[in-house]
Amino acid sequence: MKIGFLQFKPLFGQVEDNLDKLSSMIEKAPYFDLLVLPELANSGYVFSNKDELGKASETIPSGLFVEKLSEITNSRNSAIVCGICERKGVNYYNSSVLIGPKGFIGKYQKIHLFDREKLFFQPGNGPLKSFEVNGMKIGMLVCFDWIFPEATRVLALEGIDILAHSANLVLPYSQTAMLARSIENSIFTVTSNRIGTEENGGIELTFTGQSQITSPKMELLASAGVDTEEIKIVEIDIELARNKWLNERNNVLLDRRSAMYTKLAE
Ligand code: ACM
């Protein structure tokens, strides 16, 4: 299996330019089974009013990004996960879509909104679930979801092999934390982060790059620069994520003591 990330700098509100940039980067890439793209890859991140969301968002699955990315996955017999600024009725969601060789497979709407996202987006209400494509079981989370390990754990219990983590990270912690998410759940994680500085309405944010792929053995299989546009693809043995045994007597899922964790469900 070949899995990877694409790291780039979206241009705020320039949906067609962003799609062109992504398409030309992917066109030059070698074969992949799964490629993960950043959060809000169609729109950019620093919104100052809902009109901007109205212009840069799209409906799922009948929007420009899903349609064009489906042409790519179809021609390459591959899968892509991409963060999308989604419009649904009068609401906006910070969403992620999984697209396979036959087109749209499923979406996830970010459940833990970060900072000013709460001014513009509705939080998703799940479910956290696993989607199957090309022999891989994939779960999606978006950026700040990383700080709630319960979300990744639920996806691991749903049977995912690979966590597709589309991000626009501004804090410096997630890259290290994802190594823990990998070992504690025995899964691969692919964080696709964006780069660059975006300024709008007096708010300026710099994104941290350093997209990465981690293994169930807590290895950093690939990582990107802080400020470079790049695609990295690695070969993985997906069976590693299907073996939850650490040793003869310890299994990261079966050894859980759920009765001790009832507070988590309150
Ligand atoms: C984030 O959740 N985009 C920081």
Side-chain angles (χ1 to χ4, degrees):
M1 273 317 160
K2 292 186 191 295
I3 65 172
F5 59 74
L6 179 156
Q7 174 169 293
F8 86 125
K9 179 181 178 180
L11 298 175
F12 182 75
Q14 306 295 308
V15 177
E16 293 197 2
D17 289 346
N18 293 332
L19 187 58
D20 287 348
K21 165 78 75 68
L22 292 169
S23 303
S24 80
M25 285 178 77
I26 297 170
E27 207 170 276
K28 294 183 204 108
Y31 179 79
F32 53 83
D33 293 285
L34 171 70
L35 187 69
V36 183
L37 277 46
E39 176 184 9
L40 298 176
N42 56 336
S43 61
Y45 186 82
V46 184
F47 291 101
S48 67
N49 61 61
K50 286 211 177 174
D51 284 349
E52 292 167 346
L53 282 122
K55 288 187 189 120
S57 57
E58 64 179 65
T59 51
I60 297 174
S62 60
L64 178 72
F65 256 61
V66 172
E67 189 187 309
K68 294 292 175 198
L69 292 176
S70 297
E71 288 171 14
I72 296 175
T73 52
N74 177 266
S75 68
R76 300 179 66 111
N77 198 30
S78 296
I80 287 177
V81 167
C82 181
I84 300 276
C85 182
E86 181 190 6
R87 182 174 65 254
K88 186 161 191 233
V90 294
N91 291 321
Y92 299 101
Y93 294 89
N94 187 337
S95 299
S96 175
V97 291
L98 172 64
I99 302 166
K102 296 196 186 100
F104 176 75
I105 294 174
K107 76 175 176 186
Y108 162 76
Q109 296 170 322
K110 186 177 187 176
I111 61 177
H112 304 103
L113 298 175
F114 180 71
D115 201 350
R116 287 170 52 82
E117 290 172 32
K118 293 189 179 187
L119 305 179
F120 305 113
F121 293 103
Q122 295 295 312
N125 288 313
L128 290 163
K129 58 181 274 195
S130 166
F131 297 95
E132 209 157 343
V133 61
N134 284 5
M136 301 170 283
K137 289 183 87 178
I138 294 167
M140 292 174 279
L141 290 179
V142 177
C143 207
F144 190 55
D145 285 328
W146 72 266
I147 210 168
F148 303 91
E150 297 91 338
T152 308
R153 178 67 103 195
V154 168
L155 289 172
L157 291 169
E158 290 293 322
I160 66 164
D161 307 307
I162 303 166
L163 175 63
H165 181 219
S166 295
N168 279 187
L169 292 159
V170 290
L171 301 176
Y173 313 119
S174 170
Q175 286 86 348
T176 306
M178 293 312 275
L179 287 160
R181 296 296 97 81
S182 264
I183 185 71
E184 69 203 8
N185 295 293
S186 191
I187 55 169
F188 293 92
T189 76
V190 183
T191 296
S192 168
N193 196 14
R194 63 160 290 177
I195 59 164
T197 296
E198 208 170 86
E199 195 278 326
N200 189 16
I203 307 283
E204 184 179 287
L205 290 178
T206 296
F207 301 91
T208 57
Q210 300 167 86
S211 299
Q212 65 178 26
I213 304 169
T214 67
S215 83
K217 303 279 180 235
M218 209 171 160
E219 299 149 315
L220 187 58
L221 299 179
S223 64
V226 175
D227 201 29
T228 43
E229 296 195 312
E230 55 186 296
I231 290 180
K232 277 203 172 145
I233 295 162
V234 297
E235 172 113 41
I236 61 158
D237 175 5
I238 205 153
E239 290 302 324
L240 282 179
R242 294 175 181 170
N243 175 11
K244 304 298 183 189
W245 292 95
L246 280 172
N247 57 43
E248 204 183 323
R249 295 179 188 83
N250 293 112
N251 181 301
V252 294
L253 296 186
L254 299 178
D255 275 8
R256 285 174 312 114
R257 302 285 309 281
S258 311
M260 309 288 125
Y261 315 147
T262 52
K263 266 232 171 297
L264 285 180
E266 281 172 12

